[in-house]
Amino acid sequence: MIRRAGVMALLGMGVLAAAVGLGRLKFDPDVLSMLPPDLPEVQGLRAFQDAFAEEGELVVLLEGSAEDAGLLGEEAASLATALEGAGVAAKARWQPQWSEEGEGLGELLAYLWINGPHEPAAEMAERFTGGRAEGELAAAVDRVATAMEGEDLLMRAHDPFGFLEHPSVTLMTDAAAEAGGGFESADGRGHLLLVEAPRPIHGYKEAGVWLEEVREVTERWKEEAGSVAKIRFTGEPAFSSEIGGAMESDMSGTVGITALLIGLLFWRMQRSLALLAGLIGVLAMVFVVALGLAGWIYGELSIMAAGFAAILIGLTVDYGVLICQEAKLHSGDRNGLTGATCKSILWAAATTAAVFLALNRSGLPGIAQLGTMVACGILAGAVLMLGAYLPFVARVTRKRVVPASGRGVFPGRKAAVAWVGVIFAISAAILGWRGLPPIEFDSGMMRPRNSEAMAAFESVQGHFPAWKTGGPRLIIQGNSAGMAARLAEAERRLGSRPHLIANARLPVHWWPDGSRQNANRMALSPFVAGSERLLAEADRAGFTSEGLALGRSVFEWLRTIEADGNLAFPQSPAAAEMMRMFVSREANGGGSILAPVEFAEGVDAAGKDYQALRKLTGDGIWLAGWDLLRPAVQPLVQRDLIHVFLPMAALMVVMLVMIFRSLREAGLILAAMALAGVALLAIMSGLGIGWNFINIAATPLLLGTGIDYGIHVMLALRRNDGDLSAMWRGTGKAVLFCGASTAIGFGSLCFASNDAMASLGAVAVIGILLTMATSVFLLPAIASRVKEQAEISGTE
């Protein structure tokens, strides 16, 4: 009694210690967290997200009909005021920052002239000094008179000195032109509103709370303003909230549905509320321990963890069912029940855990994380089932009636051999016709199927072509001293591959450079010193005070920069907004530069030209694009099939030989698993289901369940001296239930919110039912036939 109390106390303390880790646990909805961090394509996308993606910025799209064209700006301004007034937005921008803060554009232009190449600065100073200013201004007036209506006329009328003609400014205006006019679409039927969070947003839950606050204020505004505009929400907070919420929903929904259906199936088989309640209690402890250990080990779980609950419950419940089914044959005899189940459960748990731990050899961190979590959960489940649930079952089943004898639905020995031949022949024919299942990758498979954020983003792309993310970007990272060398190396790499790169607008002169600034300060000094005279001459030439406002602002900033003498870099919010199109600078002087890239005609970035393009990346220079992830990840999946699963199979062979100390019995289990595997590949190929970096996690699961079921069946045959009827009454029915319950757990994943998790559910359900069927219905008959032939051979 004292020893039992001590065991229960130790189990209780272990559960509590693990549960403390729950407080550290968070979920990471970022797909990139599931991929190797040292993969160049992942590094490029991560660099872009860290430097240029606004985590706390919500993108709001107002859409109207043809009658609303050109009028949505007023509604966007009104909504911006409402959001700021309600305190749900630190800033809501419905037009470019520089249009609200004209000084910001002046500061940016002054910076670009000071920081740019020396030739334009020297030429500018020469044009407007030495008595040539009058002629230059007269020519500027003529250019205004001959300019076409629209943007060209507006720019010339406000730029008598040609500040907007700097090469670096052209890069900015070209990018703005691609953006479809900034915040208003070209047809006037779409208008953007960029909403900054009033507080730091950490994680998808906080993003979801803030998004709901914005929605509520927006709905009130629509009612009060009588707006009929369609309002959509997208951006990083919307995606984070949606993906994280869907992951949590999938996880909780899987747990709930799985527990309910398994509970009903358990009741149908055991007809005992006490046993069902005890099983649920132990499963809850297993789940708490597994999540708590994950909290201690990782702290943050990737989106792959959404399938963790179904795997763990489906596998761990098997041990409880086996205990309950064997208890029918032992009538409360705890020692007998322990002898019938302890070895089987411990060996099954050890082998399955070893299989899942082998996933740490995977090149995909998400797969490795899943393997560790499931392995820890399975081991904890085996200990809790034997230490807590088995004694409980022994007490509850003392007066249970031993079930009547029955052979079950096993085929005859010859029929079993025939079935094996038929299954193998049909599977081989399908694989010969359709081939093996393909290896796929699409980042979109991780998004919820019915994604409001993605639908909104696609609408934004339709109104504003520059928002399309298909185009690649070159990210250059460096510190203050090394950025110049990085930029030069990037130019060299791009220039050496003209057959691949048609155009790369590298903003070389946007990054602050002290030597250039000093040289340009000296060159522009006479020009800046005569600014008041030049402005007066421009006024006499016919430029209005409004037309001189930009030039006056640029002159003021040039004087400020010249007087300061330190390294100049724009600081005003409006200038920073425009700088962020190309430059992200950190407080320590380092940072990143962004350069849009256009591939040459006929270039297949994700196919034949992938390896050549990959040579552009490395050493802080990254070619980033979601399309490049597929060819980058595909070899990793193929590598895992060889470097992970082949050693895993070898490990299984070794452990099976250790368990049975018989090559014949180990070989029979492996043959049953191989048959189920070939049939699975054939069904996947026939149904058009491919492998991806999510459903590949089903492979160790199927190996684990195949081992479990084979071990349970073969040990039961040993205990009952090959008696198929006895094996069926205890272990056979238990394994049948195990397969059905695990399939139910994964069946719920088929209805997951994203295609990747749904494919995991489909592959797992098919594979588990196949391994269960071969283990329960074919393996016993084949094993009995092989044993009989061995005995005959031995007799002879």
Side-chain angles (χ1 to χ4, degrees), residues 152-472:
D152 185 48
L153 174 61
L154 183 65
M155 291 177 62
R156 291 185 183 279
H158 288 77
D159 187 29
F161 305 104
F163 286 126
L164 293 171
E165 296 174 7
H166 192 279
S168 297
V169 179
T170 304
L171 180 66
M172 178 182 70
T173 54
D174 288 347
E178 289 181 1
F183 282 66
E184 185 172 85
S185 64
D187 61 4
R189 297 178 59 180
H191 201 98
L192 291 179
L193 180 65
L194 303 183
V195 183
E196 297 177 16
R199 56 186 181 272
I201 301 297
H202 303 294
Y204 70 92
K205 288 189 176 180
E206 291 186 14
V209 171
W210 177 48
L211 180 57
E212 190 58 34
E213 293 173 355
V214 173
R215 288 184 188 276
E216 290 176 0
V217 174
T218 301
E219 289 302 318
R220 287 201 304 268
W221 169 82
K222 285 192 69 173
E223 292 180 6
E224 295 171 0
S227 173
V228 294
K230 186 173 184 179
I231 300 178
R232 298 169 176 262
F233 301 91
T234 187
E236 185 63 26
F239 279 113
S240 175
S241 170
E242 196 171 69
I243 294 174
M247 180 177 70
E248 188 175 279
S249 177
D250 286 346
M251 194 169 184
S252 59
T254 298
V255 173
I257 294 173
T258 302
L260 175 62
L261 294 179
I262 289 177
L264 293 174
L265 187 61
F266 184 90
W267 166 255
R268 173 69 181 82
M269 187 175 183
Q270 300 296 330
R271 300 299 178 104
S272 171
L273 288 176
L275 291 179
L276 176 59
L279 181 64
I280 292 174
V282 174
L283 285 176
M285 285 192 291
V286 171
F287 198 59
V288 168
V289 169
L291 283 177
L293 289 174
W296 283 116
I297 297 171
Y298 294 109
E300 192 169 59
L301 297 182
S302 72
I303 195 170
M304 175 69 82
F308 153 75
I311 297 175
L312 184 58
I313 290 178
L315 290 173
T316 307
V317 75
D318 294 356
Y319 306 144
V321 172
L322 180 64
I323 290 171
C324 290
Q325 193 61 27
E326 287 291 340
K328 293 180 179 180
L329 307 179
H330 294 85
S331 301
D333 180 4
R334 178 176 174 178
N335 291 332
L337 182 58
T338 300
T341 59
C342 186
K343 181 179 178 180
S344 180
I345 289 174
L346 288 178
W347 274 117
T351 52
T352 306
V355 166
F356 275 95
L357 283 174
L359 287 179
N360 281 276
R361 287 177 51 85
S362 171
L364 301 170
I367 296 289
Q369 187 184 76
L370 178 71
T372 300
M373 289 175 58
V374 175
C376 291
I378 287 173
L379 294 175
V383 171
L384 288 170
M385 286 295 177
L386 291 172
Y389 192 55
L390 187 147
F392 172 76
V393 172
R395 289 196 301 271
V396 171
T397 57
R398 284 174 182 170
K399 297 182 180 179
R400 298 192 80 186
V401 179
V402 177
S405 62
R407 187 177 182 279
V409 288
F410 301 107
R413 295 171 180 174
K414 292 183 179 180
V417 174
W419 271 108
V420 170
V422 169
I423 293 171
F424 184 81
I426 294 175
S427 300
I430 293 174
L431 292 174
W433 171 44
R434 296 291 299 267
L436 291 170
I439 297 175
E440 305 169 340
F441 176 80
D442 179 7
S443 60
M445 69 177 61
M446 295 308 305
R447 292 193 296 263
R449 288 195 185 100
N450 301 314
S451 171
E452 293 183 10
M454 178 49 62
F457 187 65
E458 289 172 349
S459 294
V460 170
Q461 290 176 318
H463 290 290
F464 302 88
W467 284 71
K468 293 183 178 178
T469 56

Side-chain angles (χ1 to χ4, degrees), residues 609-789:
D609 298 307
Y610 165 70
Q611 290 297 337
L613 285 169
R614 202 179 200 195
K615 294 178 181 178
L616 287 171
T617 66
D619 298 325
I621 301 172
W622 313 109
L623 186 63
W626 286 101
D627 291 344
L628 298 173
L629 271 185
R630 180 177 61 80
V633 171
Q634 204 167 44
L636 297 179
V637 178
Q638 294 171 336
R639 174 194 172 278
D640 281 358
L641 291 173
I642 298 173
H643 291 82
V644 176
F645 300 121
L646 288 183
M648 191 182 292
L651 177 63
M652 285 193 315
V653 173
V654 172
M655 297 198 73
L656 286 173
V657 172
M658 289 174 58
I659 295 170
F660 294 101
R661 300 187 182 279
S662 166
L663 290 176
R664 175 174 59 85
E665 290 176 315
L668 285 172
I669 294 176
L670 292 173
M673 293 173 61
L675 179 65
V678 171
L680 170 64
L681 292 175
I683 293 174
M684 288 178 63
S685 181
L687 296 178
I689 301 174
W691 293 109
N692 57 60
F693 71 106
I694 296 294
N695 66 19
I696 198 172
T699 306
L701 167 71
L702 301 180
L703 293 175
T705 55
I707 290 176
D708 274 8
Y709 299 161
I711 289 173
H712 294 325
V713 167
M714 294 301 291
L715 287 178
L717 287 173
R718 269 192 177 185
R719 289 195 306 272
N720 296 287
D721 197 25
D723 186 344
L724 297 182
S725 297
M727 190 281 296
W728 169 251
R729 292 197 306 272
T731 300
K733 288 184 177 180
V735 171
L736 188 67
F737 173 91
C738 293
S741 62
T742 307
I744 286 172
F746 280 95
S748 62
L749 283 182
C750 293
F751 304 99
S753 60
N754 62 73
D755 291 332
M757 295 306 299
S759 70
L760 171 62
V763 172
V765 167
I766 296 169
I768 287 166
L769 291 178
L770 287 171
T771 56
M772 180 268 291
T774 54
S775 296
V776 174
F777 300 116
L778 297 180
L779 180 60
I782 297 293
S784 178
R785 179 181 175 85
V786 170
K787 181 179 179 181
E788 180 181 335
Q789 291 178 341

Side-chain angles (χ1 to χ4, degrees), residues 429-520:
I430 293 174
L431 292 174
W433 171 44
R434 296 291 299 267
L436 291 170
I439 297 175
E440 305 169 340
F441 176 80
D442 179 7
S443 60
M445 69 177 61
M446 295 308 305
R447 292 193 296 263
R449 288 195 185 100
N450 301 314
S451 171
E452 293 183 10
M454 178 49 62
F457 187 65
E458 289 172 349
S459 294
V460 170
Q461 290 176 318
H463 290 290
F464 302 88
W467 284 71
K468 293 183 178 178
T469 56
R473 303 173 178 89
L474 197 69
I475 314 294
I476 301 101
Q477 295 177 304
N479 54 36
S480 181
M483 183 61 81
R486 288 275 168 85
L487 284 168
E489 174 62 17
E491 286 186 303
R492 187 196 65 78
R493 293 184 191 180
L494 293 170
S496 66
R497 293 168 176 82
H499 60 292
L500 297 175
I501 307 298
N503 185 26
R505 293 170 294 182
L506 202 61
V508 176
H509 299 111
W510 283 61
W511 186 262
D513 184 283
S515 60
R516 286 201 307 264
Q517 291 186 13
N518 290 333
N520 289 333

Side-chain angles (χ1 to χ4, degrees), residues 517-538:
Q517 291 186 13
N518 290 333
N520 289 333
R521 279 189 180 97
M522 295 179 62
L524 290 171
S525 180
F527 174 60
V528 176
S531 59
E532 291 301 324
R533 173 182 54 81
L534 292 173
L535 288 168
E537 289 188 19

